[in-house]
Amino acid sequence: MKPIHMIALLMCLASALTGVGEHVSKEPFTYKLSLLAVDNERRGRIVDVYITVSTPGRGVITVIPSNAFSQDTLLSFKLALIYASLLTGKDYRRLDYTISVQGLAQVEGTSATLLFTVFAISLLRNESFDSLKSATGIIGPGGIVGRVGGVAQKVEAAKSYGLELVTGPFSSNISDEIYQPVLTVFQAYEKFSQKSLFPELNYEYLYAPSLSSYFKEVWMNFYNKTNQIIASLNNSMWTDSFLEKSLNLLSLSTNYAEVKHYYTASSIAFQAYYYGYSSLLNYSYHTSLPEFENNISAIRNKVREARLFIERQSRLETCYNPLIIDLYVNALKRIEESEEAVKAADESIELIYKIGNYSYSIARAETSLAWVNASNAYERRNCIAVSLLNTYLTRMRELLSTSISYYTAMSYLYGFEPIPSTGNTFLDLIYSFKALEKMAEQLYANPALIKNEIFPVLGGPGIKEFLLNSLKSLSIYVMNKLGLVIPSSITMIEFLTDASSMDYVTESLIIQIMTLHAYIYGFLVFTLSEPVEHGPTYLFDPIIVPNSLIPFLVILCTAGFSLVILSLNREG
């Protein structure tokens, strides 16, 4: 081929490849799912569900007959597709889904969410799906499996039907050999596929005793400020229970700093600072009321200035990536806690609550500033184009809105406040991450969910370890996919690892694990292989190619074809 032919073909290929990828049209393929159900007479039964998948698609879900799925069941299928997209990095919108239900007038409820999720993961990973295996369970924050009713009846029906495996939540009254309980979606998938959801990861490289050197500075800041308060009070010959707690915690934080567990050390030093400042306020109240009022005024000013600083810095930020988002989410969360503490202190009548809330407020304000200042400790890299922020925000809002609708349908969320819309896409992304945390916390606060649904065997052996291990795996998976070490993930792994060996109540750790699971799912939004919102990319798709480039690409390709025709004519 002559050079002129090569140039022409390359020009056309360059423009064509802009929009054409793996999304070629394929013949539709149908999968069978053996859905477990309980009828009106409390008998278990199997419902044959057929899902036909076609490509290219736009994520359209069609149910035949149209009323075969109740709204909450349809929600559970949508949530399963979203979770599967996040865990595989492949956008479910590349396909269309036609669901056919046989043998039942209508499938109701959300107990099939676990089955739908395992199926969707297998589908997006281009793996086969075994219809002789089934699952039942709701999905808690970040893929944690929750309890559903009628498991014994479902397992009995599964055996009669000839199924080989049923996975679901832990239950004390199920001992059948085909039933294998799981704590997370990841474990359920592994039971089905006999392979790990996550590839082999360099665990030691990312997870080491010294997880974040930045928090050494945070620890030292709290340590020095607390020492100054202690020295001042010692000079005044003052002592109280607050001061004694501060001294003990400061010593404990030093022990963790010595082994380079700086996040744990800084968390404990934060508590030492809180008790030290409480002692300072207590001293000023009993010795000089004007000085006490001056201290309160200084706290209010500090909180107000911290809020302004965080918002100003977020609007000045020019590098958008998950690491930077994480730092601002943490800063914003802590300054909001600080503001709430000031309000609680102002409304408190008893002195001990007033002192405690004001002290907590200034300590939280200090941590909010520490998280913002942490952005200066990291190199600005892996920055996201401004034009993609809206894409990621859309994905985050879909994850949130679907999750909120899912839990609201089960009456697990009450009065969930709408996510703020500031008009600044970056800030809106930050608020969306905060909403994920809040959702997990609200779910945990629901006694029915925590006691009866998510963890019916909360005190059972190994529960905490199972969750902690899945959290570590998921965190490392996210960090490998992003190519960034996310401070929240890595530091909380350190803290939870330390806390699991300390005298912590299991429930206090569970809420942190649940919250961080949900939070990490938010970061998985950034790992989808292609940031496209409206279906497959075709030639000159304006979602991929900026409008200003389309005329240029058309001219380029047309010129290329012209060159080919001209050269062929000359040869003829």
Side-chain angles (χ1 to χ4, degrees), residues 83 110-115 117-118 135-148 151 167-171 179-189 191 406-407 410 412 449-450 452-457 463 467 470 514 517 521:
Y83 274 163
T110 54
S111 64
T113 314
L114 182 60
L115 176 64
T117 306
V118 173
T136 183
I138 62 171
I139 303 296
I144 297 174
V145 176
R147 197 180 74 175
V148 291
V151 176
T167 64
F170 279 86
S171 180
Y179 187 73
Q180 298 185 28
V182 292
L183 282 168
T184 64
V185 165
F186 334 124
Q187 293 165 331
Y189 167 80
K191 295 284 188 185
Y406 177 77
Y407 297 122
M410 294 186 286
Y412 292 153
L449 184 66
I450 189 63
N452 304 321
E453 303 294 341
I454 295 293
F455 296 112
V457 286
I463 296 294
L467 284 173
S470 70
M514 287 174 65
H517 263 89
Y521 262 67

Side-chain angles (χ1 to χ4, degrees), residues 222-223 225-227 229-230 233 240-243 245-247 249-250 266-282 299 341 345 351-367:
F222 276 125
Y223 182 88
K225 287 185 174 181
T226 306
N227 257 333
I229 293 173
I230 291 171
L233 293 173
D240 59 8
S241 60
F242 292 130
L243 190 59
K245 288 181 180 178
S246 181
L247 284 165
L249 287 167
L250 203 61
S266 62
S267 296
I268 297 171
F270 159 82
Q271 297 175 51
Y273 178 73
Y274 158 73
Y275 281 112
Y277 212 95
S278 294
S279 183
L280 177 66
L281 288 180
N282 196 28
I299 290 172
L351 178 64
I352 190 170
Y353 294 120
K354 190 176 288 289
I355 285 175
N357 280 307
Y358 279 131
S359 298
Y360 183 81
S361 176
I362 192 167
R364 269 297 181 235
E366 291 285 355
T367 55

Side-chain angles (χ1 to χ4, degrees), residues 94-285:
R94 300 300 182 187
L95 307 168
D96 283 338
Y97 310 84
T98 301
I99 304 171
S100 176
V101 179
Q102 298 185 5
L104 193 70
Q106 186 181 62
V107 177
E108 298 179 345
T110 54
S111 64
T113 314
L114 182 60
L115 176 64
F116 290 152
T117 306
V118 173
F119 162 73
I121 292 171
S122 301
L123 172 68
L124 295 181
R125 286 175 65 120
N126 296 316
E127 297 172 348
S128 60
F129 187 80
D130 191 347
S131 62
L132 292 180
K133 297 177 181 179
S134 190
T136 183
I138 62 171
I139 303 296
I144 297 174
V145 176
R147 197 180 74 175
V148 291
V151 176
Q153 294 92 324
K154 291 175 182 177
V155 171
E156 196 61 37
K159 287 181 66 177
S160 300
Y161 193 78
L163 298 192
E164 299 171 353
L165 170 74
V166 175
T167 64
F170 279 86
S171 180
S172 57
N173 62 344
I174 307 294
S175 58
D176 198 286
E177 60 182 13
I178 75 165
Y179 187 73
Q180 298 185 28
V182 292
L183 282 168
T184 64
V185 165
F186 334 124
Q187 293 165 331
Y189 167 80
E190 290 166 11
K191 295 284 188 185
F192 267 71
S193 65
Q194 299 300 307
K195 64 180 73 171
S196 174
L197 178 59
F198 306 115
E200 290 297 322
L201 302 172
N202 190 344
Y203 184 80
E204 294 300 327
Y205 174 73
L206 286 171
Y207 179 69
S210 181
L211 295 175
S212 179
S213 60
Y214 169 74
F215 282 94
K216 180 178 181 179
E217 297 178 24
V218 178
W219 168 71
M220 290 181 66
N221 179 48
F222 276 125
Y223 182 88
N224 291 333
K225 287 185 174 181
T226 306
N227 257 333
Q228 291 172 8
I229 293 173
I230 291 171
S232 171
L233 293 173
N234 283 340
N235 290 336
S236 302
M237 303 298 290
W238 171 265
T239 186
D240 59 8
S241 60
F242 292 130
L243 190 59
E244 290 176 6
K245 288 181 180 178
S246 181
L247 284 165
N248 292 333
L249 287 167
L250 203 61
S251 176
L252 181 61
S253 78
T254 304
N255 294 339
Y256 281 96
E258 287 174 352
V259 294
K260 298 183 179 180
H261 282 212
Y262 293 121
Y263 182 76
T264 304
S266 62
S267 296
I268 297 171
F270 159 82
Q271 297 175 51
Y273 178 73
Y274 158 73
Y275 281 112
Y277 212 95
S278 294
S279 183
L280 177 66
L281 288 180
N282 196 28
Y283 169 73
S284 63
Y285 180 84

Side-chain angles (χ1 to χ4, degrees), residues 542-571:
I543 298 167
I544 293 297
V545 184
N547 289 329
S548 58
L549 283 180
I550 291 177
F552 170 75
L553 290 172
V554 172
I555 293 168
L556 184 66
C557 196
T558 304
F561 278 119
S562 299
L563 285 172
V564 171
I565 293 169
L566 285 172
S567 62
L568 288 174
N569 287 339
R570 286 171 184 168
E571 287 179 1

